Short mmCIF file of all heavy atoms in Angstrom, two decimals:
data_model
loop_
_atom_site.label_atom_id
_atom_site.label_comp_id
_atom_site.label_asym_id
_atom_site.label_seq_id
_atom_site.Cartn_x
_atom_site.Cartn_y
_atom_site.Cartn_z
N MET T 1 19.49 -3.61 4.17
CA MET T 1 18.39 -3.93 3.28
C MET T 1 18.91 -4.70 2.09
O MET T 1 19.89 -4.29 1.47
CB MET T 1 17.69 -2.64 2.82
CG MET T 1 16.50 -2.90 1.90
SD MET T 1 15.75 -1.34 1.40
CE MET T 1 15.21 -0.71 2.97
N THR T 2 18.26 -5.79 1.73
CA THR T 2 18.70 -6.59 0.60
C THR T 2 18.29 -5.93 -0.69
O THR T 2 17.48 -5.00 -0.72
CB THR T 2 18.08 -7.99 0.69
OG1 THR T 2 16.67 -7.86 0.65
CG2 THR T 2 18.52 -8.69 1.96
N ASP T 3 18.84 -6.47 -1.81
CA ASP T 3 18.55 -5.86 -3.09
C ASP T 3 17.08 -5.97 -3.46
O ASP T 3 16.54 -5.11 -4.14
CB ASP T 3 19.40 -6.54 -4.19
CG ASP T 3 20.88 -6.25 -4.00
OD1 ASP T 3 21.18 -5.25 -3.33
OD2 ASP T 3 21.72 -7.02 -4.51
N ASP T 4 16.41 -7.08 -3.01
CA ASP T 4 15.01 -7.26 -3.37
C ASP T 4 14.05 -6.75 -2.31
O ASP T 4 12.86 -6.98 -2.40
CB ASP T 4 14.71 -8.74 -3.65
CG ASP T 4 15.04 -9.61 -2.44
OD1 ASP T 4 15.65 -9.09 -1.50
OD2 ASP T 4 14.69 -10.82 -2.47
N ALA T 5 14.56 -6.08 -1.28
CA ALA T 5 13.69 -5.53 -0.25
C ALA T 5 13.02 -4.26 -0.77
O ALA T 5 13.59 -3.52 -1.56
CB ALA T 5 14.49 -5.20 1.01
N PRO T 6 11.79 -3.99 -0.33
CA PRO T 6 11.10 -2.80 -0.80
C PRO T 6 11.74 -1.52 -0.27
O PRO T 6 12.26 -1.50 0.84
CB PRO T 6 9.68 -2.99 -0.25
CG PRO T 6 9.85 -3.88 0.93
CD PRO T 6 11.00 -4.80 0.59
N ALA T 7 11.70 -0.48 -1.06
CA ALA T 7 12.22 0.81 -0.61
C ALA T 7 11.38 1.33 0.54
O ALA T 7 10.16 1.16 0.55
CB ALA T 7 12.21 1.80 -1.78
N PRO T 8 12.02 1.98 1.54
CA PRO T 8 11.27 2.40 2.73
C PRO T 8 10.15 3.39 2.43
O PRO T 8 9.17 3.45 3.16
CB PRO T 8 12.36 3.05 3.60
CG PRO T 8 13.65 2.48 3.12
CD PRO T 8 13.46 2.23 1.66
N LEU T 10 8.20 3.45 -0.23
CA LEU T 10 7.10 2.92 -1.03
C LEU T 10 5.86 2.75 -0.16
O LEU T 10 5.94 2.37 1.00
CB LEU T 10 7.48 1.58 -1.66
CG LEU T 10 8.46 1.62 -2.83
CD1 LEU T 10 8.71 0.21 -3.33
CD2 LEU T 10 7.92 2.49 -3.96
N TYR T 51 6.55 1.11 3.77
CA TYR T 51 7.30 -0.04 4.25
C TYR T 51 8.28 0.37 5.34
O TYR T 51 8.55 -0.39 6.26
CB TYR T 51 8.06 -0.68 3.09
CG TYR T 51 7.16 -1.35 2.08
CD1 TYR T 51 7.10 -0.91 0.77
CD2 TYR T 51 6.37 -2.42 2.45
CE1 TYR T 51 6.28 -1.52 -0.16
CE2 TYR T 51 5.54 -3.04 1.53
CZ TYR T 51 5.50 -2.58 0.23
OH TYR T 51 4.66 -3.19 -0.67
N GLY T 65 10.54 -10.20 8.23
CA GLY T 65 10.46 -9.69 6.86
C GLY T 65 9.09 -9.86 6.28
O GLY T 65 8.89 -10.57 5.30
N ALA T 67 6.93 -7.34 5.29
CA ALA T 67 6.50 -6.34 4.32
C ALA T 67 7.21 -6.60 3.00
O ALA T 67 8.37 -6.30 2.84
CB ALA T 67 6.81 -4.94 4.82
N VAL T 68 6.49 -7.22 2.08
CA VAL T 68 7.07 -7.58 0.78
C VAL T 68 6.48 -6.67 -0.27
O VAL T 68 5.27 -6.44 -0.31
CB VAL T 68 6.74 -9.05 0.45
CG1 VAL T 68 7.33 -9.43 -0.90
CG2 VAL T 68 7.28 -9.95 1.55
N ALA T 69 7.33 -6.16 -1.14
CA ALA T 69 6.87 -5.21 -2.14
C ALA T 69 5.92 -5.85 -3.13
O ALA T 69 6.24 -6.89 -3.69
CB ALA T 69 8.06 -4.62 -2.88
#
Side-chain angles (χ1 to χ4, degrees):
M1 181 180 298
T2 61
D3 294 338
D4 58 351
L10 286 180
Y51 291 117
V68 180

